[in-house]
Amino acid sequence: MKTAKIPATDNEYLIGKILCIGRNYVDHIKELGNETPAAPVVFLKPATAVVDDGGTVVIPPYSTACHYEAELAVLIGTDGKDIPEAEALSHVAGYGVAIDMTLRDVQDTLKKKGLPWEIAKGFDTSCPLSAFTPAAQVPDPQDLTIRLLLNGAERQNGSTGLMINPVARIISYLSTIFTLEEGDVILTGTPAGVGRVQPGDGMVAEITGVGRMSVTVE
């Protein structure tokens, strides 16, 4: 069983659904040559994808192009369905740092065939996830900087203010499709700068005022 922790309050949540948003930053859309979506692009990861700070990402043998995507993670603390955007942030228990590990070669092949992405996005260890900071300590989730360092070199540095769909809108939208429950985690998309990792690499992802985590790759 995977849990999400908020050390500052000693609260611990059993992770439920991991709901992910794709194509939520214009520069990232451009770097992959994708079209800007009319509505949020949604996919899921299982809770078994989570790996904690200090853990190891294991690249599956069916891929030769595993990429990192650093993201702001949102932990749901209060259940809700059809949540108005104006009330959405009141359902948040905390904010954290995640890395959406993506098998780009597998994803590209599946997309060309019109097939789902799950085996490219939801494999074991595909969701490195930090501990969470209480929502009350993050005044504005749209005023944060996401950074990722690969082997000590900065590869991603982007503001959450550049999101196409801000956090409140994401929560509201998702709640029209899925009942959001305590312990659900939302990954809100990645800024530009994604790239490939190889066995032996080390990654550090951080969001000032929210958290920091590191993982290795094998």
Side-chain angles (χ1 to χ4, degrees), residues 2-3 15 18 46-58 97-99 101 123-131 203 213-216:
K2 300 291 186 176
T3 59
I15 295 176
I18 303 175
T48 50
V50 171
V51 58
D52 294 330
D53 181 25
T56 301
V57 172
V58 180
V97 185
I99 308 176
M101 301 305 299
F123 59 94
D124 287 352
T125 73
S126 66
C127 188
L129 188 64
S130 74
M203 293 179 286
M213 70 170 307
S214 62
V215 291
T216 55

Side-chain angles (χ1 to χ4, degrees), residues 12-178:
E12 188 168 336
Y13 297 77
L14 186 66
I15 295 176
K17 303 181 289 296
I18 303 175
L19 303 169
C20 309
I21 302 297
R23 304 185 192 178
N24 201 28
Y25 289 78
V26 172
D27 286 349
H28 174 58
I29 292 171
K30 289 180 179 178
E31 73 179 346
L32 294 185
N34 290 321
E35 295 181 1
T36 301
V41 175
V42 180
F43 60 95
L44 288 81
K45 291 178 183 273
T48 50
V50 171
V51 58
D52 294 330
D53 181 25
T56 301
V57 172
V58 180
I59 302 174
Y62 56 87
S63 174
T64 58
C66 183
H67 284 205
Y68 56 80
E69 299 184 3
E71 312 200 5
L72 173 68
V74 178
L75 176 64
I76 297 298
T78 306
D79 296 2
K81 175 69 175 174
D82 295 324
I83 302 168
E85 186 172 336
E87 301 173 11
L89 297 185
S90 68
H91 290 259
V92 177
Y95 296 95
V97 185
I99 308 176
D100 171 16
M101 301 305 299
T102 302
L103 307 179
R104 193 72 67 200
D105 52 345
V106 177
Q107 183 189 36
D108 288 347
T109 297
L110 293 169
K111 284 166 61 178
K112 290 175 183 176
K113 295 179 178 179
L115 296 174
W117 306 345
E118 274 75 8
I119 65 171
K121 289 279 195 177
F123 59 94
D124 287 352
T125 73
S126 66
C127 188
L129 188 64
S130 74
F132 287 80
T133 293
Q137 296 181 19
V138 182
D140 184 359
Q142 304 310 141
D143 188 23
L144 301 169
T145 299
I146 301 171
R147 297 179 68 236
L148 185 135
L149 285 74
L150 178 65
N151 300 325
E154 184 177 275
R155 296 299 178 87
Q156 289 187 280
N157 186 325
S159 170
T160 57
L162 298 175
M163 287 183 185
I164 296 171
N165 295 288
V167 173
R169 189 179 305 155
I170 290 169
I171 293 170
S172 178
Y173 178 78
L174 289 174
S175 75
T176 67
I177 305 166
F178 312 96

Side-chain angles (χ1 to χ4, degrees), residues 187-218:
L187 305 192
T188 57
T190 192
V194 303
R196 184 175 175 180
V197 295
Q198 300 182 38
D201 284 345
M203 293 179 286
V204 175
E206 61 182 7
I207 301 176
T208 302
V210 170
R212 185 178 189 273
M213 70 170 307
S214 62
V215 291
T216 55
V217 180
E218 70 175 38

